[in-house]
Amino acid sequence: MKGTDMQTIHTKAGFKVLRESLGLYQSDVAEAAGVDVKTVKNWESPRLPRARATAVAWKYLENLAEIQEREVGCLVEKIVDETDGNPYPLPYFREQDLAAEDARAARISNAMTRKVAFELTRLAIPYEFRFEEEAADDERLSEIWDM
């Protein structure tokens, strides 16, 4: 599914799904949209039907989804070209071991890794998740992923 497909119907649940699929917290969106976290919570709350995400907030998420989709496509293409039948290692970061800004980057990276895994499953290409310290030695990863 293309990131832009999600813009057809702007619902509260759709906003939350898109935000979470990108690995973002409500605070990340609040910062980008220049609003309080409570405002983003209201946008996602079914109890507050009048509180709706702004066009700017939707555009922010949809643009990120398009970027993520392109990056996932490039990664999958490279992995397909290199597949040798052995499970391909996919990096997964342990957020709790990282500083706050690094944890945000890890959430975003993990969201992308999950989408890559979904595509590899669809293509019947074997893969395995590895924590960063387990994956750092694998040269296949260092060539494709920025580790």
Side-chain angles (χ1 to χ4, degrees):
M1 172 187 337
K2 292 188 174 209
T4 54
D5 291 345
M6 294 198 72
Q7 70 183 341
T8 55
I9 300 175
H10 287 179
T11 64
K12 288 176 168 285
F15 188 85
K16 183 175 183 170
V17 167
L18 183 54
R19 176 183 60 75
E20 289 179 344
S21 75
L22 293 166
L24 298 176
Y25 285 162
Q26 290 172 332
S27 58
D28 299 321
V29 175
E31 182 181 326
V35 298
D36 293 332
V37 174
K38 184 174 168 99
T39 301
V40 177
K41 288 181 183 192
N42 291 344
W43 291 345
E44 295 179 359
S45 173
R47 289 185 223 140
L48 299 168
R50 299 179 127 197
R52 295 285 186 182
T54 64
V56 169
W58 274 104
K59 189 71 171 161
Y60 171 72
L61 292 182
E62 290 166 350
N63 285 342
L64 287 179
E66 287 176 14
I67 291 166
Q68 183 188 63
E69 181 183 350
R70 282 194 304 272
E71 289 180 6
V72 166
C74 288
L75 288 168
V76 168
E77 187 176 309
K78 289 177 183 179
I79 292 169
V80 167
D81 289 345
E82 290 191 7
T83 192
D84 60 5
N86 293 316
Y88 196 89
L90 298 178
Y92 210 77
F93 298 94
R94 295 170 37 88
E95 297 171 42
Q96 64 270 29
D97 295 342
L98 303 171
E101 187 55 35
D102 291 337
R104 180 179 181 270
R107 285 193 315 273
I108 294 167
S109 178
N110 287 347
M112 190 158 55
T113 296
R114 289 188 296 270
K115 288 189 176 190
V116 167
F118 177 82
E119 288 301 314
L120 294 179
T121 298
R122 193 177 61 76
L123 297 169
I125 294 175
Y127 61 88
E128 61 189 12
F129 292 107
R130 291 192 192 166
F131 288 123
E132 181 183 16
E133 57 272 9
E134 299 171 315
D137 298 337
D138 197 310
E139 56 190 57
R140 294 178 294 177
L141 273 175
S142 61
E143 292 173 10
I144 292 179
W145 298 77
D146 296 325
M147 294 191 68

